[in-house]
Amino acid sequence: MSTAQSFADIQAAIAAQFPAAIVGEDATVRQPWLQIAPDQLRDVAFFLRDTEGLYFDYLECLSGVDYGPKPGKIGAVYHLFSIPYQHALVLKCTVDRGTEEQLPVIPSVVEVWKTADWHEREAYDLIGIHFEGHPDLRRILMPADWPGHPLRKDYENPEFYHGIQTAY
């Protein structure tokens, strides 16, 4: 078993395999991250999981993020870890925020990491990200007929839901 690779080594391995995948990065923060183009996300995820020396076998967390109406972006942040090699990586994938009728789309990584199933459903439910290819994308915390996505920065809580007052 080899020692943990540096962020620069992992970044170089991704860039060599997928030259157009990395569209942003920050190596100066406590948890360095790479921003991955949405159309490359699934391929990069499989590469990170299946490549000897990388083997990111654990999706620690997937979080939906609303960057706000003004920037007009929504995204998903993936915290990955390699148990045998003891290295971590953060990936970000951002897209235009879309509308309530046309949700923003990010590819699902459920085929890569099964734990993404619940994480993607939560981000869909609360932020309104459609994870393309998800096997069962439906609400997980809110009622099926709840209006909108309550963690969006422009969300307005309904005053009533089925005759029950929701705001005071």
Side-chain angles (χ1 to χ4, degrees):
M1 191 175 305
S2 117
T3 60
Q5 292 192 27
S6 72
F7 176 77
D9 294 337
I10 296 167
Q11 178 185 23
I14 295 169
Q17 188 73 23
F18 305 96
I22 299 173
V23 294
E25 64 186 77
D26 190 346
T28 65
V29 293
R30 184 171 177 267
Q31 291 186 316
W33 54 267
L34 297 172
Q35 186 164 336
I36 304 297
D39 64 336
Q40 302 277 306
L41 179 64
R42 282 176 43 82
D43 292 338
V44 169
F46 275 114
F47 174 76
L48 289 170
R49 185 196 68 189
D50 297 341
T51 300
E52 180 65 31
L54 297 178
Y55 193 61
F56 284 95
D57 55 333
Y58 181 42
L59 173 65
E60 294 177 316
C61 181
L62 182 165
S63 301
V65 180
D66 182 355
Y67 295 101
K70 190 164 182 123
K73 298 289 184 185
I74 280 185
V77 178
Y78 305 80
H79 290 258
L80 308 176
F81 191 74
S82 171
I83 294 171
Y85 295 113
Q86 297 292 297
H87 49 238
L89 180 64
V90 176
L91 300 180
K92 294 183 179 185
C93 185
T94 60
V95 293
D96 291 332
R97 73 186 287 112
T99 65
E100 187 59 37
E101 296 76 37
Q102 187 67 38
L103 294 178
V105 177
I106 294 177
S108 174
V109 293
V110 169
E111 284 186 64
V112 184
W113 301 288
K114 293 294 183 196
T115 190
D117 185 349
W118 288 70
H119 291 283
E120 288 178 355
R121 285 182 61 194
E122 180 183 41
Y124 163 73
D125 190 5
L126 299 178
I127 299 287
I129 300 170
H130 178 85
F131 288 93
E132 188 173 57
H134 190 283
D136 185 23
L137 194 60
R138 59 190 163 100
R139 291 203 183 254
I140 193 167
L141 298 171
M142 305 301 292
D145 63 345
W146 188 265
H149 303 278
L151 291 185
R152 282 200 176 203
K153 292 187 176 181
D154 58 354
Y155 179 74
E156 292 184 23
N157 196 43
E159 190 174 339
F160 290 92
Y161 172 73
H162 293 288
I164 302 167
Q165 187 173 5
T166 61
Y168 296 96

